[in-house]
Amino acid sequence: MPSEKIIRIWKTVTVIPKGKVASYGQIADLAGLPGRARLVGKALGLASKEMKLPWYRVLRSSGQLAFEKGSLQAEKQKGLLQQEEVVVLNNRVKLKDFGWQPDLAEILSKLKY
DNA sequence: GTATTGACTTCAT
DNA sequence: AATGAAGCCAATA
């Protein structure tokens, strides 16, 4: 069984709005796990199969996709993002344009601490 | 119990 | 812009 922390990360990822992206660190923070960016990556890795998570909306803090350019996963992620009108160029997204800026109400209503 | 490993981040070259 | 080192800490081994 996954730990509570992992579950919380999954829930948090679910809250990312369509057409927006968030960084691993940001998700960690929102999940109440500051400094646990790497755990977010691990959580997504566990969930990638079988679950319907918008894992592809999670990027590095730089806006870079977490996967190597040209990799199967990177291409797949790019396609999924573009399906949501998110522009991906040279393996990266402009956070200035697509970065998610959550407000407190949105988080509280969907996560329920 | 210690050691290594990350779908990371930040700061410093 | 591109590395690299250090920091991070739960999960694995």
Side-chain angles (χ1 to χ4, degrees):
Chain A
M1 278 297 275
S3 72
E4 278 305 322
K5 296 182 175 73
I6 300 296
I7 303 284
R8 234 150 118 189
I9 290 168
W10 288 343
K11 280 189 186 176
T12 306
V13 170
T14 299
V15 175
I16 306 173
K18 175 185 170 188
K20 293 291 179 181
V21 299
S23 76
Y24 290 91
Q26 189 177 1
I27 294 304
D29 289 345
L30 294 177
L33 305 165
R36 258 48 77 75
R38 304 185 92 134
L39 186 57
V40 173
K42 201 163 288 185
L44 293 184
L46 293 174
S48 63
K49 308 171 181 180
E50 82 202 75
M51 288 187 76
K52 321 165 186 176
L53 281 179
W55 58 269
Y56 49 87
R57 294 182 188 144
V58 185
L59 325 168
R60 292 190 181 169
S61 61
S62 59
Q64 278 257 3
L65 305 199
F67 301 105
E68 186 186 352
K69 182 183 180 185
S71 70
L72 189 64
Q73 286 280 341
E75 290 304 314
K76 181 176 168 189
Q77 182 170 19
K78 176 176 148 187
L80 288 165
L81 286 171
Q82 292 180 332
Q83 261 182 54
E84 302 191 341
E85 304 160 12
V86 175
V87 178
V88 181
L89 286 180
N90 196 23
N91 215 57
R92 63 163 61 206
V93 171
K94 287 186 182 181
L95 292 180
K96 189 177 177 184
D97 297 336
F98 302 102
W100 179 37
Q101 276 84 19
D103 65 48
L104 188 57
E106 186 168 4
I107 300 166
L108 291 178
S109 66
K110 299 191 176 178
L111 286 185
K112 297 182 180 177
Y113 281 104

